[in-house]
Amino acid sequence: MLNGIKNFLEFLNDNWTVLAVLLGLVVALIQRIKAFIGKTDEEKIQIAKKQIKEIMLKMVSEAELDFEDWNKAGAIKRSQVISQIYEMYPILSKVIDQNELIKWLDMEINTSLRTLEDIIDVNKDEG
């Protein structure tokens, strides 16, 4: 029994910094989760919109690559991107005005398309 306690105390002594860091990470993670859960649906939707803006160019680029051989596939590409967004952010289904959300998504898709075209043009000029 005393040997077990001695081993435990030695373990704590040898690894106290690692244990302190892990404890701090767990506490921080719990606080972040509580803060997110405590947000209203509207706040969660705003967070989702911000994140969507950040990943939209990647999603549009992937859709363009997926349907690269199809000349007139704009509606299919748009549908693919919007589907992915709703899969990634189910909170968006709680938006009351879905038409307004779709308009916003269309605007973001168009902005990303223009950015993608600019990138392609710059790469063509350099290459």
Side-chain angles (χ1 to χ4, degrees), residues 36-124:
F36 183 76
I37 291 173
K39 292 188 182 301
T40 65
D41 283 347
E42 187 59 36
E43 290 171 322
K44 290 177 185 176
I45 289 167
Q46 292 306 316
I47 291 170
K49 282 184 168 184
K50 181 180 176 196
Q51 291 174 351
I52 288 167
K53 281 184 173 187
E54 293 173 2
I55 62 169
M56 183 64 78
L57 181 59
K58 179 180 182 267
M59 294 174 79
V60 168
S61 299
E62 289 172 354
E64 288 291 328
L65 287 174
D66 289 347
F67 297 98
E68 176 175 28
D69 296 333
W70 297 30
N71 288 335
K72 304 280 182 181
I76 296 171
K77 295 172 195 174
R78 173 190 174 273
S79 177
Q80 176 181 327
V81 170
I82 290 175
S83 286
Q84 287 177 329
I85 290 170
Y86 274 95
E87 286 174 18
M88 291 172 68
Y89 300 98
I91 189 73
L92 295 178
S93 64
K94 294 186 178 187
V95 172
I96 294 171
D97 191 354
Q98 286 291 311
N99 290 331
E100 191 64 35
L101 178 62
I102 296 296
K103 286 179 187 175
W104 180 82
L105 288 171
D106 282 337
M107 183 183 71
E108 291 301 319
I109 289 171
N110 290 335
T111 301
S112 293
L113 277 172
R114 284 191 296 276
T115 303
L116 182 61
E117 289 168 358
D118 291 344
I119 291 170
I120 290 170
D121 289 342
V122 167
N123 286 339
K124 281 181 183 177

